[in-house]
Each structure stands twice: as C-alpha cells, then as structure tokens.
Amino acid sequence: MSLLSIENLKTHFFTKAGVVKSVDGVSFDLDRGEILGIVGESGSGKSVTGFSIMGLVDPPGRLVEGSIRFDGQDLVGMAEPVMRDLRGRRIAMIFQDPMMTLNPVLRVDTQMIEALRAHGRWSDDAARQRCRDVLGQVGIPSPEERLKSYPHQFSGGMRQRVAIAIALLHEPDLIIADEPTTALDVTIQAQILFEIQKLVAENNTAMIWVTHDLAVVAGLADRVAVMYAGRIVEMGTTEEVVNRPFHPYTSGLIGSAPSRNPRGARLTQIRGMAPLPMNLPTGCAFRPRCDRATEACIIEPDATTPESEHLVRCYHPLSGASDWGTTA
Amino acid sequence: MTVFIIRRLLQSVIVVAVMTLLVFAGVYAIGNPVEILISQDATEVERAAAIARLGLDKSLPEQYLAFLGNLLKGDLGTSFVFGEPALQLVLERFPATMELALSAMLIAVFIGVPLGLYAGLRPDSIGGRTIMTGSIFGFSLPNFWQGLMLIMFFAVILQWLPAGGRGVRGEFLGIESSFFSWDGISHLILPAINLALFKTSLVIRLTRASVRETINLDYVKFARAKGLRPRRVIGLHVLKNIMIPLVTIIGLEFGSVIAFAVVTETVFAWPGMGKLIIDSIFQLDRPVIVAYLIVIVCLFITVNLVVDILYAILDPRVRLSDQKA
Ligand SMILES: Nc1ncnc2c1ncn2[C@@H]1O[C@H](COP(=O)(O)OP(=O)(O)OP(=O)(O)O)[C@@H](O)[C@H]1O
Ligand code: SF4
Ligand SMILES: [Mg+2]
C-alpha cells in the first residue's frame, strides 16, 4: 500500500470576488522512499496541494472534496490535535523563501528545540545534541555556534539548510518541499539538491518536490506530475515525461526550462498567459494557448493512460501516443 | 547589549546638554531674562537682588555656566504666583501626572492588546467586529465630553466613584502614591479611564492590524507546520513580532498621554503638571513654564531611551546592526 494516496482532491478558495478552484481534482499516489516532482507555472495550485496535505489551508480556503490517505488514515476531516501530531513529526514541509521561513526574532536553537518538544519530552542536552547532529547532516559548519545565532546572521542558502534540518528533526515519512531551492543561486541549489537526495535515500523518506523548473526535477524525482490550473495534466516516470511528453503543455515547459537556456536570458515562453483561476476556459484549461486544440477540447478531457504508468489529460497527445481524440 | 545601552545613555546626555542650551538661549539670550524670570511687581531692590543672584550682569558664557550650575542645584527661579521655587512646584505635581499617565497606559496595553489580538485572530466573528466598532467610539469621542459623561454617570448618578481630586495617598516601601490606598485608587479610576480610552482604541487597532499581517507570513505557517500548538504560535511567534511596532507606538504615545493629560486633569481637577502648566500659562508664571519644559524634555528623553532598549531586546536585527555600526 502506498504511503500517501490522494484521490480527487479539491481545494477551493471562497473569496469575495468568487470561487478560486486552486486544486480541482488532483489524484496521485506516493510510496515510501519515492520522490515525486510536481511541476507547473505560478498559480497552478502546487503550494495549495502541499498545504492541503499538511492540513494548513486557511479560510477562505477549504477542502471541498476528495481524500488524502496517509499511512492508512484519511487526513481530510481529521481532528486538529491528531493532525497536529502528524505535522512536523511524520509529515514535514519546507517552504520556498528561506528569508521568510524562520522567525526573525527567535534564535535558531529556540526554533529547533520547540519543533522537537512539540512532539515529546526532550531534555535540554538531548535536544541540543539532536539539533547539532541534524545541522551537521545538512552541511552547516560549527553547529554549536550556529544554534545561538539569529536567522539574519545566515545567508539564504544556510537558512534553507536550517529549515531543512528542522524538517528532518523527527525523521518524517514524508517531506513536502515547496520550491525550496528556487530562491537560491545555482551552485547552492545544486549542493542542496544533492544533499537532500542523499538524506531522503538514507532514511527511505518519501518526498514531494514542487518546482517551476522541470530540469531540477529531472535529476531528482522518480516520477513527475505536471499541474495546470489546479489539475494534473500529465504524470509518469521522470524519464517518460521528460523524454516523451504527451501533453502539449509539458512539451512547452520543456522548451522553456530555465536550465536549458543561458542564465539570465529570457526564456522561450509558452504562448499566452496562465489562465486566471477565477475564470478558467471551459473544457481543457490549456485550450487558449494550445497549438493542437480542436473542437473536441471544449469538453474537459479525462485522464487517460496511453501507456501504462504514464497518465495524460489531452485529446491530442504528442509523441507517438495514439491520437484518440479525433476518433472519440 | 551593554555597549548598546552605554551608547544610548551617552546620546541622551548629549541631547540633555543641547536642550539646556536651547532653553538658555530662549530664556536668557533672546528675551530679556529680567522680564522673563522676575515678576513685574518686584521692587527695584528685589530686582537688583535677583539680577545679582541669577548672574544676569555677567557675560553670556558665564551666564550659561551659572544657569547650568543653578539647574544642577535645581534652581530655575521662583514662581511669581506661589512664591516657591519653580522646579520644586513642577516636581511636586509630577507624581500625580505620572500616576495618571501610567494607569492610562497600563489600561490601554492590558485591555487593548488582548482585544486587538482577538479581533485580529477572528476578524469575522461577532466579537471581533464589536471590538472594532467599539474602537471607533474611542477615537471619535471628544476627550472633555467623554470625561464629563463619565463623571455624570459614575459619580453623579451611580455615585460609585468620586468626581474629582486626588484623594488620600497610601504609603508602601516609603513611596507615597495613590496606588497604595483605596481612596487614592477610587479617585484615579475615572480620570485614568478617560485618558486611556483613546489610547486603548489605538492599541486595539494597531494590534489587530499587526496580527492580520503577521499571521499570514511564512514563518508563522512554518511554525504551525512544525506541529506547534496554537498557543505557542500566537503567544511566541506572532506576539513577539508584533511587540516591535507596539513598543514603539506605546513609547511615543506615552509622551502624548502626558500632553493629553492637561484636558483630563482639568476636567477631573487632578492636581498634576498639566493643570499647573495651564494655570501658569494663564498667569504668565514664566519660571514655572521653563521648569515644566525642562522636566518634560527629560521625561521624553527617558522614555525614548527605554523604548530604544526594549526595541533592541525585542529585535535582534537592531542590536546587531548597531554593534556593527
Ligand atoms: N488565501 C488565498 N485566497 C485566495 N486565493 C488563493 C489563496 N491562496 C492561493 N490562492 C489561489 O490558488 C491558486 C494556486 O495557488 P498556489 O499558491 O498553489 O500556486 P503555486 O502553483 O504554488 O504557484 P507558485 O509557483 O507561484 O508558488 C492561485 O491562483 C492563487 O491565487
Ligand atoms: S486537450 Fe486539446 S487543448 Fe487541451 S492540451 Fe490537449 S490538444 Fe490542447
Ligand atoms: Mg507556490
């Protein structure tokens, strides 16, 4: 049985201006030790998916449908104290902006030790020892000194390492990493990627790695899910998705991947703009930007698996997969 | 931290020195000090004596030194009206005003922060909305009218509390204060509330706005993602951050409370500095005005110093950037 199994998850925001269907029918499974990359443009619902799993969706947002089974229990509708016990201990999350994830007015040791003590008794000595060990693991030199520092005394990369260390404190079963390296420069990004990959492999931790950049995920994830406008439009092994994308949007993403372009150069864009979540086009949400769109696309395509383990939501998928839309 | 405090102390001393120079310039150099500091009703003999005592026949630098010397001795001239040393007059009223200002600030903080916190955490609840509506009243009611209403209701109609005056003071550890006797406290309640209402509204609104802003920040979400209890997330992560703007505003407002106290002291016949300064201005009792200015400036400097220190305790970024500088 998979560690995490999400079925038809819908998380909507009921704002004054209207309902934002940030996540609208997402399903995927994740096994222990597996790394799933979630890729998509800004606003496609990647973070909201992560927060939904953490049970940290705040009003006006709400999980309106679906189930999130984690190690046999459904997290949807779970009592808050039970959920809180899982948070940080069995499911941890790392955020995008390392400059913002640590509290600026609290010392690093305060912020680490409280994370330990949220889930059990720790003596001062044992807690500090554990913090030092984990800081060492994520490559922070002289951890003892660093514990007594405030976040602003660290560089961005170091702060993100601290955040990763906090996520690792309880050796969770699942880590949700929400674009943790996007804000960092390329060399540091590469280092952190390498280290985190090693650490999860050692602990057999499952991981969801959210990113804009398909190339980052290519070297890291076992499987990739491509999100567009709140839905997964393509999912398969990394190898499959990167080398033989089915969905026109995925193939566009590959063309516009930052890592394939000279640094600093403007990326080749996918034509048009990401749709406004408030008024999505009817049918396939990618339709206005899609070169292959036909009349069939006015009706929302279902998820299909032209090849086993390679899912796509498109009537006219690319690269050799049979174009079943025209005959449908 | 010690370095920080010492530096701030030195800065304060410099400010005080500059201030004495300004007061000196205002009183001695620009105007005619004889007219400012000596009553017009004084006889020629008294005048001559005062001129000699104040050293007004000497050169300006000498006069400044003499002024400083007198200042250190606490001699700022004699009140025309009371015939007592002006500084002593002001300092006698100082505790009464401080009692009032302190009580008002305590009320504002201990009522304003929890209410603001509640309104910030539950902005759409009935309680939250009620608090915000209530705070609008606190802002818009005229201070003296509100004072009169308090007197009408609690002193005249209900007869629960006295309408004015300071009451009998109690003594505790050798300090004499209204805080230490029931009579003193009962006299303090109405004027303190009157003075506090506006500030309470301000603190409520500031707290609420800061909470709304802070609660959505990543580090609060990250704290929750660690599995911390709401009590710790709010009580430490949120509160410690909103304390930074709060302390600044409360410090600044403490000064304005003392200034506002003038109205309240008048309405409630509270024998504080505010009432004294109003009387002195009407009667052109200039030595008292000068003494009042000096006391107020010193008070402001002290408050600023305390705020700076608290600020550095609360915000490590301030402390460190200062050390580097
Ligand atoms: N609190 C909120 N209120 C209203 N809408 C929200 C809220 N939070 C998220 N959304 C909406 O949900 C959609 C998905 O947001 P999400 O943060 O998941 O995007 P993302 O894929 O993580 O994008 P990015 O790459 O920019 O982080 C966005 O359109 C956003 O406007
Ligand atoms: S379903 Fe149609 S519009 Fe949507 S991606 Fe496929 S071809 Fe394009
Ligand atoms: Mg995001």
PDB file of all heavy atoms in Angstrom, chain B residues 188-213:
ATOM      1  N   LEU B 188      -8.550  57.719  41.171  1.00  0.00           N
ATOM      2  CA  LEU B 188      -7.745  57.586  39.955  1.00  0.00           C
ATOM      3  C   LEU B 188      -8.534  56.958  38.806  1.00  0.00           C
ATOM      4  O   LEU B 188      -8.286  57.248  37.630  1.00  0.00           O
ATOM      5  CB  LEU B 188      -6.518  56.718  40.290  1.00  0.00           C
ATOM      6  CG  LEU B 188      -5.381  56.627  39.274  1.00  0.00           C
ATOM      7  CD1 LEU B 188      -4.876  58.004  38.905  1.00  0.00           C
ATOM      8  CD2 LEU B 188      -4.246  55.785  39.854  1.00  0.00           C
ATOM      9  N   ILE B 189      -9.506  56.091  39.164  1.00  0.00           N
ATOM     10  CA  ILE B 189     -10.160  55.271  38.131  1.00  0.00           C
ATOM     11  C   ILE B 189     -10.756  56.091  36.985  1.00  0.00           C
ATOM     12  O   ILE B 189     -10.405  55.880  35.818  1.00  0.00           O
ATOM     13  CB  ILE B 189     -11.251  54.378  38.768  1.00  0.00           C
ATOM     14  CG1 ILE B 189     -10.580  53.328  39.661  1.00  0.00           C
ATOM     15  CG2 ILE B 189     -12.075  53.673  37.676  1.00  0.00           C
ATOM     16  CD1 ILE B 189     -11.565  52.459  40.419  1.00  0.00           C
ATOM     17  N   LEU B 190     -11.629  57.035  37.314  1.00  0.00           N
ATOM     18  CA  LEU B 190     -12.305  57.761  36.230  1.00  0.00           C
ATOM     19  C   LEU B 190     -11.347  58.556  35.346  1.00  0.00           C
ATOM     20  O   LEU B 190     -11.390  58.415  34.125  1.00  0.00           O
ATOM     21  CB  LEU B 190     -13.392  58.676  36.805  1.00  0.00           C
ATOM     22  CG  LEU B 190     -14.666  57.963  37.273  1.00  0.00           C
ATOM     23  CD1 LEU B 190     -15.717  58.981  37.681  1.00  0.00           C
ATOM     24  CD2 LEU B 190     -15.213  57.037  36.214  1.00  0.00           C
ATOM     25  N   PRO B 191     -10.481  59.389  35.937  1.00  0.00           N
ATOM     26  CA  PRO B 191      -9.571  60.114  35.041  1.00  0.00           C
ATOM     27  C   PRO B 191      -8.671  59.188  34.236  1.00  0.00           C
ATOM     28  O   PRO B 191      -8.408  59.456  33.054  1.00  0.00           O
ATOM     29  CB  PRO B 191      -8.742  60.995  35.981  1.00  0.00           C
ATOM     30  CG  PRO B 191      -9.044  60.556  37.350  1.00  0.00           C
ATOM     31  CD  PRO B 191     -10.344  59.832  37.332  1.00  0.00           C
ATOM     32  N   ALA B 192      -8.240  58.072  34.831  1.00  0.00           N
ATOM     33  CA  ALA B 192      -7.368  57.149  34.087  1.00  0.00           C
ATOM     34  C   ALA B 192      -8.124  56.548  32.916  1.00  0.00           C
ATOM     35  O   ALA B 192      -7.595  56.466  31.801  1.00  0.00           O
ATOM     36  CB  ALA B 192      -6.850  56.050  35.015  1.00  0.00           C
ATOM     37  N   ILE B 193      -9.370  56.148  33.150  1.00  0.00           N
ATOM     38  CA  ILE B 193     -10.166  55.592  32.048  1.00  0.00           C
ATOM     39  C   ILE B 193     -10.359  56.648  30.968  1.00  0.00           C
ATOM     40  O   ILE B 193     -10.212  56.381  29.775  1.00  0.00           O
ATOM     41  CB  ILE B 193     -11.532  55.093  32.569  1.00  0.00           C
ATOM     42  CG1 ILE B 193     -11.327  53.847  33.415  1.00  0.00           C
ATOM     43  CG2 ILE B 193     -12.474  54.800  31.404  1.00  0.00           C
ATOM     44  CD1 ILE B 193     -12.607  53.293  33.999  1.00  0.00           C
ATOM     45  N   ASN B 194     -10.653  57.836  31.399  1.00  0.00           N
ATOM     46  CA  ASN B 194     -10.882  58.906  30.432  1.00  0.00           C
ATOM     47  C   ASN B 194      -9.664  59.116  29.542  1.00  0.00           C
ATOM     48  O   ASN B 194      -9.762  59.240  28.330  1.00  0.00           O
ATOM     49  CB  ASN B 194     -11.208  60.197  31.178  1.00  0.00           C
ATOM     50  CG  ASN B 194     -11.682  61.275  30.228  1.00  0.00           C
ATOM     51  OD1 ASN B 194     -12.545  61.026  29.397  1.00  0.00           O
ATOM     52  ND2 ASN B 194     -11.089  62.458  30.335  1.00  0.00           N
ATOM     53  N   LEU B 195      -8.522  59.095  30.190  1.00  0.00           N
ATOM     54  CA  LEU B 195      -7.284  59.313  29.437  1.00  0.00           C
ATOM     55  C   LEU B 195      -6.950  58.094  28.587  1.00  0.00           C
ATOM     56  O   LEU B 195      -6.335  58.210  27.523  1.00  0.00           O
ATOM     57  CB  LEU B 195      -6.154  59.585  30.438  1.00  0.00           C
ATOM     58  CG  LEU B 195      -4.853  60.157  29.895  1.00  0.00           C
ATOM     59  CD1 LEU B 195      -5.115  61.429  29.119  1.00  0.00           C
ATOM     60  CD2 LEU B 195      -3.900  60.449  31.053  1.00  0.00           C
ATOM     61  N   ALA B 196      -7.388  56.914  29.043  1.00  0.00           N
ATOM     62  CA  ALA B 196      -6.977  55.667  28.377  1.00  0.00           C
ATOM     63  C   ALA B 196      -7.815  55.346  27.145  1.00  0.00           C
ATOM     64  O   ALA B 196      -7.345  54.635  26.264  1.00  0.00           O
ATOM     65  CB  ALA B 196      -7.054  54.502  29.361  1.00  0.00           C
ATOM     66  N   LEU B 197      -9.054  55.838  27.094  1.00  0.00           N
ATOM     67  CA  LEU B 197      -9.963  55.366  26.036  1.00  0.00           C
ATOM     68  C   LEU B 197      -9.382  55.520  24.641  1.00  0.00           C
ATOM     69  O   LEU B 197      -9.370  54.596  23.847  1.00  0.00           O
ATOM     70  CB  LEU B 197     -11.301  56.096  26.137  1.00  0.00           C
ATOM     71  CG  LEU B 197     -12.292  55.406  27.069  1.00  0.00           C
ATOM     72  CD1 LEU B 197     -13.567  56.215  27.201  1.00  0.00           C
ATOM     73  CD2 LEU B 197     -12.601  54.000  26.582  1.00  0.00           C
ATOM     74  N   PHE B 198      -8.861  56.692  24.352  1.00  0.00           N
ATOM     75  CA  PHE B 198      -8.314  56.944  23.025  1.00  0.00           C
ATOM     76  C   PHE B 198      -7.137  56.004  22.737  1.00  0.00           C
ATOM     77  O   PHE B 198      -7.052  55.382  21.691  1.00  0.00           O
ATOM     78  CB  PHE B 198      -7.868  58.404  22.940  1.00  0.00           C
ATOM     79  CG  PHE B 198      -7.369  58.804  21.589  1.00  0.00           C
ATOM     80  CD1 PHE B 198      -8.241  59.288  20.624  1.00  0.00           C
ATOM     81  CD2 PHE B 198      -6.024  58.689  21.273  1.00  0.00           C
ATOM     82  CE1 PHE B 198      -7.787  59.649  19.376  1.00  0.00           C
ATOM     83  CE2 PHE B 198      -5.555  59.044  20.023  1.00  0.00           C
ATOM     84  CZ  PHE B 198      -6.437  59.531  19.072  1.00  0.00           C
ATOM     85  N   LYS B 199      -6.257  55.906  23.728  1.00  0.00           N
ATOM     86  CA  LYS B 199      -5.065  55.064  23.528  1.00  0.00           C
ATOM     87  C   LYS B 199      -5.441  53.598  23.396  1.00  0.00           C
ATOM     88  O   LYS B 199      -4.799  52.853  22.646  1.00  0.00           O
ATOM     89  CB  LYS B 199      -4.099  55.222  24.712  1.00  0.00           C
ATOM     90  CG  LYS B 199      -3.595  56.628  24.901  1.00  0.00           C
ATOM     91  CD  LYS B 199      -2.857  57.126  23.702  1.00  0.00           C
ATOM     92  CE  LYS B 199      -2.743  58.632  23.751  1.00  0.00           C
ATOM     93  NZ  LYS B 199      -2.480  59.216  22.442  1.00  0.00           N
ATOM     94  N   THR B 200      -6.459  53.173  24.159  1.00  0.00           N
ATOM     95  CA  THR B 200      -6.889  51.781  24.052  1.00  0.00           C
ATOM     96  C   THR B 200      -7.341  51.490  22.620  1.00  0.00           C
ATOM     97  O   THR B 200      -6.961  50.471  22.036  1.00  0.00           O
ATOM     98  CB  THR B 200      -8.038  51.500  25.035  1.00  0.00           C
ATOM     99  OG1 THR B 200      -7.667  51.996  26.307  1.00  0.00           O
ATOM    100  CG2 THR B 200      -8.312  50.013  25.138  1.00  0.00           C
ATOM    101  N   SER B 201      -8.126  52.392  22.065  1.00  0.00           N
ATOM    102  CA  SER B 201      -8.588  52.196  20.686  1.00  0.00           C
ATOM    103  C   SER B 201      -7.403  52.090  19.739  1.00  0.00           C
ATOM    104  O   SER B 201      -7.364  51.239  18.851  1.00  0.00           O
ATOM    105  CB  SER B 201      -9.461  53.364  20.249  1.00  0.00           C
ATOM    106  OG  SER B 201     -10.494  53.555  21.155  1.00  0.00           O
ATOM    107  N   LEU B 202      -6.439  52.968  19.972  1.00  0.00           N
ATOM    108  CA  LEU B 202      -5.260  52.957  19.107  1.00  0.00           C
ATOM    109  C   LEU B 202      -4.519  51.624  19.214  1.00  0.00           C
ATOM    110  O   LEU B 202      -4.152  51.021  18.207  1.00  0.00           O
ATOM    111  CB  LEU B 202      -4.342  54.107  19.528  1.00  0.00           C
ATOM    112  CG  LEU B 202      -3.162  54.381  18.623  1.00  0.00           C
ATOM    113  CD1 LEU B 202      -3.650  55.038  17.347  1.00  0.00           C
ATOM    114  CD2 LEU B 202      -2.155  55.286  19.324  1.00  0.00           C
ATOM    115  N   VAL B 203      -4.325  51.164  20.454  1.00  0.00           N
ATOM    116  CA  VAL B 203      -3.603  49.904  20.658  1.00  0.00           C
ATOM    117  C   VAL B 203      -4.386  48.741  20.049  1.00  0.00           C
ATOM    118  O   VAL B 203      -3.811  47.858  19.412  1.00  0.00           O
ATOM    119  CB  VAL B 203      -3.329  49.670  22.163  1.00  0.00           C
ATOM    120  CG1 VAL B 203      -2.762  48.275  22.392  1.00  0.00           C
ATOM    121  CG2 VAL B 203      -2.366  50.720  22.695  1.00  0.00           C
ATOM    122  N   ILE B 204      -5.706  48.749  20.208  1.00  0.00           N
ATOM    123  CA  ILE B 204      -6.533  47.685  19.610  1.00  0.00           C
ATOM    124  C   ILE B 204      -6.300  47.640  18.107  1.00  0.00           C
ATOM    125  O   ILE B 204      -6.017  46.588  17.534  1.00  0.00           O
ATOM    126  CB  ILE B 204      -8.034  47.931  19.883  1.00  0.00           C
ATOM    127  CG1 ILE B 204      -8.369  47.662  21.341  1.00  0.00           C
ATOM    128  CG2 ILE B 204      -8.890  47.036  18.980  1.00  0.00           C
ATOM    129  CD1 ILE B 204      -9.820  47.924  21.694  1.00  0.00           C
ATOM    130  N   ARG B 205      -6.384  48.795  17.477  1.00  0.00           N
ATOM    131  CA  ARG B 205      -6.297  48.825  16.010  1.00  0.00           C
ATOM    132  C   ARG B 205      -4.899  48.427  15.540  1.00  0.00           C
ATOM    133  O   ARG B 205      -4.750  47.684  14.579  1.00  0.00           O
ATOM    134  CB  ARG B 205      -6.645  50.217  15.491  1.00  0.00           C
ATOM    135  CG  ARG B 205      -8.058  50.557  15.841  1.00  0.00           C
ATOM    136  CD  ARG B 205      -8.648  51.657  14.988  1.00  0.00           C
ATOM    137  NE  ARG B 205     -10.048  51.358  14.790  1.00  0.00           N
ATOM    138  CZ  ARG B 205     -10.594  51.094  13.623  1.00  0.00           C
ATOM    139  NH1 ARG B 205      -9.869  51.114  12.532  1.00  0.00           N
ATOM    140  NH2 ARG B 205     -11.867  50.811  13.531  1.00  0.00           N
ATOM    141  N   LEU B 206      -3.907  48.921  16.241  1.00  0.00           N
ATOM    142  CA  LEU B 206      -2.540  48.588  15.843  1.00  0.00           C
ATOM    143  C   LEU B 206      -2.286  47.092  16.029  1.00  0.00           C
ATOM    144  O   LEU B 206      -1.704  46.437  15.162  1.00  0.00           O
ATOM    145  CB  LEU B 206      -1.554  49.407  16.680  1.00  0.00           C
ATOM    146  CG  LEU B 206      -0.101  49.147  16.348  1.00  0.00           C
ATOM    147  CD1 LEU B 206       0.220  49.690  14.971  1.00  0.00           C
ATOM    148  CD2 LEU B 206       0.821  49.773  17.388  1.00  0.00           C
ATOM    149  N   THR B 207      -2.730  46.549  17.174  1.00  0.00           N
ATOM    150  CA  THR B 207      -2.516  45.131  17.432  1.00  0.00           C
ATOM    151  C   THR B 207      -3.219  44.296  16.370  1.00  0.00           C
ATOM    152  O   THR B 207      -2.644  43.377  15.793  1.00  0.00           O
ATOM    153  CB  THR B 207      -3.066  44.742  18.817  1.00  0.00           C
ATOM    154  OG1 THR B 207      -2.554  45.649  19.773  1.00  0.00           O
ATOM    155  CG2 THR B 207      -2.669  43.330  19.178  1.00  0.00           C
ATOM    156  N   ARG B 208      -4.474  44.637  16.100  1.00  0.00           N
ATOM    157  CA  ARG B 208      -5.225  43.865  15.120  1.00  0.00           C
ATOM    158  C   ARG B 208      -4.532  43.898  13.761  1.00  0.00           C
ATOM    159  O   ARG B 208      -4.327  42.869  13.130  1.00  0.00           O
ATOM    160  CB  ARG B 208      -6.644  44.412  14.974  1.00  0.00           C
ATOM    161  CG  ARG B 208      -7.487  43.554  14.067  1.00  0.00           C
ATOM    162  CD  ARG B 208      -8.822  44.198  13.762  1.00  0.00           C
ATOM    163  NE  ARG B 208      -8.879  44.570  12.367  1.00  0.00           N
ATOM    164  CZ  ARG B 208      -9.681  43.982  11.479  1.00  0.00           C
ATOM    165  NH1 ARG B 208     -10.500  43.044  11.858  1.00  0.00           N
ATOM    166  NH2 ARG B 208      -9.654  44.348  10.219  1.00  0.00           N
ATOM    167  N   ALA B 209      -4.146  45.081  13.324  1.00  0.00           N
ATOM    168  CA  ALA B 209      -3.513  45.200  12.008  1.00  0.00           C
ATOM    169  C   ALA B 209      -2.221  44.385  11.972  1.00  0.00           C
ATOM    170  O   ALA B 209      -1.954  43.666  11.007  1.00  0.00           O
ATOM    171  CB  ALA B 209      -3.233  46.668  11.697  1.00  0.00           C
ATOM    172  N   SER B 210      -1.424  44.458  13.043  1.00  0.00           N
ATOM    173  CA  SER B 210      -0.164  43.712  13.058  1.00  0.00           C
ATOM    174  C   SER B 210      -0.425  42.210  13.045  1.00  0.00           C
ATOM    175  O   SER B 210       0.288  41.455  12.383  1.00  0.00           O
ATOM    176  CB  SER B 210       0.665  44.059  14.293  1.00  0.00           C
ATOM    177  OG  SER B 210       0.719  45.444  14.474  1.00  0.00           O
ATOM    178  N   VAL B 211      -1.433  41.776  13.799  1.00  0.00           N
ATOM    179  CA  VAL B 211      -1.736  40.346  13.831  1.00  0.00           C
ATOM    180  C   VAL B 211      -2.164  39.878  12.444  1.00  0.00           C
ATOM    181  O   VAL B 211      -1.675  38.860  11.941  1.00  0.00           O
ATOM    182  CB  VAL B 211      -2.850  40.039  14.854  1.00  0.00           C
ATOM    183  CG1 VAL B 211      -3.342  38.603  14.695  1.00  0.00           C
ATOM    184  CG2 VAL B 211      -2.347  40.247  16.256  1.00  0.00           C
ATOM    185  N   ARG B 212      -3.067  40.626  11.810  1.00  0.00           N
ATOM    186  CA  ARG B 212      -3.547  40.228  10.484  1.00  0.00           C
ATOM    187  C   ARG B 212      -2.384  40.092   9.510  1.00  0.00           C
ATOM    188  O   ARG B 212      -2.367  39.217   8.662  1.00  0.00           O
ATOM    189  CB  ARG B 212      -4.533  41.256   9.901  1.00  0.00           C
ATOM    190  CG  ARG B 212      -5.727  41.561  10.730  1.00  0.00           C
ATOM    191  CD  ARG B 212      -6.811  40.498  10.714  1.00  0.00           C
ATOM    192  NE  ARG B 212      -7.063  39.916   9.419  1.00  0.00           N
ATOM    193  CZ  ARG B 212      -7.209  38.615   9.203  1.00  0.00           C
ATOM    194  NH1 ARG B 212      -7.080  37.764  10.199  1.00  0.00           N
ATOM    195  NH2 ARG B 212      -7.476  38.164   8.021  1.00  0.00           N
ATOM    196  N   GLU B 213      -1.430  40.992   9.642  1.00  0.00           N
ATOM    197  CA  GLU B 213      -0.304  40.983   8.725  1.00  0.00           C
ATOM    198  C   GLU B 213       0.635  39.806   9.030  1.00  0.00           C
ATOM    199  O   GLU B 213       1.056  39.083   8.136  1.00  0.00           O
ATOM    200  CB  GLU B 213       0.443  42.298   8.894  1.00  0.00           C
ATOM    201  CG  GLU B 213       1.375  42.645   7.780  1.00  0.00           C
ATOM    202  CD  GLU B 213       2.019  43.978   8.082  1.00  0.00           C
ATOM    203  OE1 GLU B 213       1.304  44.985   8.225  1.00  0.00           O
ATOM    204  OE2 GLU B 213       3.244  43.989   8.225  1.00  0.00           O
TER     205      GLU B 213
END
